[in-house]
């Protein structure tokens, strides 16, 4: 599996999680409940972004830098982190809901941008062998990150 396919699969999973969150949001009774959900999503997305950058985009630092994509990518990730953090810290239920919905909407657009604009650049720049090797390494590291998160949750 190529790195771009592995990341796209993770994007699809995250989008399904966002859909489920959208279904439960109206039933949450406090800003704290919404904030806890935002914190969970923030953590999952932080891990996703770290893996994505480590395995797909670091290999393209030079090419992305010249196309001004790299700084835009990092800025997008910082802005998404800020949006989820704001939802987590909101003082009212309605404010927290709106901020969380906005953060998920921005994340969806960010995923579309990566798949539409950056993935083709990654695939053109790296050969199939490199794409496949990075995809396998991404999957292994993602499994380890999931296991670590599960272990921390049990503590």
């Amino acid at each position: 599996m190529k790195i771009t396919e592995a990341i796209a699969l993770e994007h699809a999973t995250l989008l399904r999680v966002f859909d489920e969150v959208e279904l439960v949001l109206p039933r949450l009774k406090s800003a704290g409940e919404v904030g806890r959900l935002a914190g969970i999503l923030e953590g999952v997305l932080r891990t996703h972004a770290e893996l994505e950058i480590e395995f797909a985009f670091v290999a393209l630092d030079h090419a992305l830098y010249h196309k001004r994509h790299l700084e835009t990518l990092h800025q997008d990730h910082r802005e998404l982190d800020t949006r989820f953090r704001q939802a987590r810290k909101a003082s009212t239920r309605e404010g927290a809901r709106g901020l969380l919905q906005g953060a998920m909407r921005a994340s969806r657009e960010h995923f579309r941008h990566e798949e539409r604009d950056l993935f083709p650049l990654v695939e053109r720049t790296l050969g199939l062998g490199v794409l496949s090797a990075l995809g396998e390494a991404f999957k292994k590291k993602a499994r380890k990150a999931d296991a670590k998160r599960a272990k921390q949750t049990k503590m």
Side-chain angles (χ1 to χ4, degrees):
M1 172 180 296
K2 298 184 293 189
I3 185 65
T4 48
E5 294 167 337
I7 294 171
L9 283 173
E10 194 160 284
H11 284 174
T13 300
L14 291 166
L15 292 171
R16 286 192 306 277
V17 170
F18 291 167
D19 291 343
E20 292 299 318
V21 168
E22 293 277 355
L23 292 174
V24 301
L25 263 181
R27 295 191 299 267
L28 299 180
K29 306 225 182 298
S30 70
E33 288 178 319
V34 178
R36 282 189 290 282
L37 199 50
I40 291 167
L41 292 176
E42 181 184 3
V44 170
L45 287 168
R46 185 180 314 110
T47 301
H48 168 76
E50 290 167 0
L51 290 170
E52 186 177 78
I53 289 168
E54 179 180 350
F55 288 102
F57 301 126
V58 165
L60 291 176
D61 272 358
H62 186 69
L64 290 174
Y65 175 78
H66 286 293
K67 297 193 183 301
R68 316 246 329 126
H69 289 297
L70 187 62
E71 184 53 38
T72 300
L73 178 72
H74 289 295
Q75 181 62 32
D76 285 354
H77 285 171
R78 285 190 297 270
E79 287 175 15
L80 292 172
D81 288 344
T82 298
R83 285 173 174 263
F84 282 98
R85 194 172 313 109
Q86 288 171 336
R88 188 169 37 88
K89 294 181 177 183
S91 59
T92 67
R93 178 181 62 182
E94 289 73 21
R97 281 181 188 166
L99 289 166
L100 182 53
Q101 287 170 322
M104 290 186 297
R105 193 170 34 255
S107 295
R108 286 177 174 112
E109 179 54 38
H110 176 75
F111 296 163
R112 281 191 293 272
H113 162 69
E114 286 181 349
E115 292 174 13
R116 180 187 62 235
D117 300 328
L118 295 180
F119 287 9
L121 178 61
V122 169
E123 291 197 353
R124 281 193 308 272
T125 304
L126 305 175
L128 181 58
V130 172
L131 290 167
S132 297
L134 289 171
E136 291 305 312
F138 178 92
K139 287 190 319 187
K140 284 180 187 174
K141 186 100 179 226
R143 276 189 234 115
K144 284 182 182 179
D146 290 344
K148 181 179 177 183
R149 195 171 26 255
K151 185 176 179 181
Q152 289 172 341
T153 303
K154 290 180 183 179
M155 293 181 165

